[in-house]
Amino acid sequence: MSASRFAEAYKQTPPWDIGRPQPVFARIATSGDVRGPVLDVGCGTGENGLAFAAAGFEVVGVDAVDAAVAAARAKAQARGLAAEFLVHDALALGELGRRFGTVVDSGLFHTFDDGERRLYVASLAAVTAPGAGVHVLCFSERELSAGGPRRVTQAELNEAFDRPPFRVVRIEPADMETNLGSPRRAWLATAERVGDSRD
C-alpha cells in the first residue's frame, strides 16, 4: 500500500486505528522485558507508542502520513506524555541517526512487497543496537476474511528476520484488533538483533 493510499485512508478512520494500543503491545509494554528507547514504526495515531511512553520509556514514533503523526502528537500532548512523533520513511530509518533497544511494528510489515521487505529489515538493522528486540504484528495466512492486507506466513517471517544481524526468537499466533468487528488472525514475531561485524 503506497503512502498516498495510507494518506487517503486517514481522511476517515482507517480500520487499524482502534483508539487504543493493540493488546499484544500493551502487554509487552508492561512485561518487564523492554529495553529503551522504543521505536514505533508505522505508528499511525500513536496508541502503541504511547502505551510504552506511559510505562516510562523514551519513545519515538514514525509514520509516512502527516495527519497520523499530527494526531499522535496531539494525543501525547493531551496525555502529558513525552513521546516524539515524526513524519519519516520506514525504509530509511538510518537517517534518524539513533539506535533503539526495542522496535514495535503493528501492521506495517505486511504492507511491503518482497523487495521492500529486504529494505525494511536493513533499515531496522541500521537503528537497532545488539540485543534489541523487534516485535512485528502482521496478518497471518490463517485469516480467511476477504480484503485487507497481504497475508504473511511463518516461513516468510523467518526468511526476513532469521538471518544476520537478526535471529527469530519466536513466532506466535495473535489477534490484531480492528474497528470492523471481530479481531483478525495474526502473527506476533519477535526477533533479536544479535550484531554483526560492523557493531
Side-chain angles (χ1 to χ4, degrees):
M1 189 161 156
S2 67
S4 62
R5 288 182 65 191
F6 275 115
E8 189 67 23
Y10 275 104
K11 290 182 178 178
Q12 301 179 30
T13 301
W16 56 85
D17 190 357
I18 60 173
R20 60 187 184 281
Q22 287 289 333
V24 294
F25 290 126
R27 173 175 53 81
I28 291 170
T30 57
S31 67
D33 296 326
V34 178
R35 294 175 54 187
V38 175
L39 175 63
D40 181 3
V41 190
C43 64
T45 63
E47 291 293 348
N48 295 314
L50 291 169
F52 285 87
F57 294 99
E58 178 185 354
V59 172
V60 175
V62 299
D63 201 284
V65 180
D66 295 78
V69 170
R73 289 172 176 166
K75 288 180 183 180
Q77 183 175 19
R79 299 176 195 180
L81 296 171
E84 180 181 7
F85 293 101
L86 305 169
V87 177
H88 196 84
D89 184 355
L91 302 183
L93 294 172
E95 295 175 4
L96 293 172
R98 300 182 60 177
R99 287 216 172 181
F100 298 88
T102 300
V103 177
V104 296
D105 168 345
S106 180
L108 181 61
F109 179 80
H110 63 210
T111 70
F112 294 133
D113 64 29
D114 292 347
E116 290 169 330
R117 285 178 178 180
R118 289 187 288 274
L119 292 172
Y120 181 54
V121 173
S123 184
L124 292 173
V127 292
T128 45
V134 177
H135 306 279
V136 176
L137 182 66
C138 60
F139 262 45
S140 161
E141 80 281 8
R142 301 173 307 127
E143 177 54 54
L144 302 179
S145 62
R150 176 181 179 181
R151 277 43 169 178
V152 180
T153 67
Q154 290 189 71
E156 288 174 310
L157 288 164
N158 278 308
E159 170 66 20
F161 289 102
D162 205 28
R163 58 176 61 204
F166 294 102
R167 72 174 182 91
V168 170
V169 177
R170 62 185 170 274
I171 301 172
E172 56 192 329
D175 286 334
M176 180 178 286
E177 300 282 346
T178 73
N179 57 32
L180 300 176
S182 59
R184 300 307 196 247
R185 292 182 175 184
W187 296 118
L188 177 64
T190 300
E192 180 187 12
R193 174 75 148 83
V194 294
D196 57 28
S197 59
R198 292 170 295 177
D199 290 321

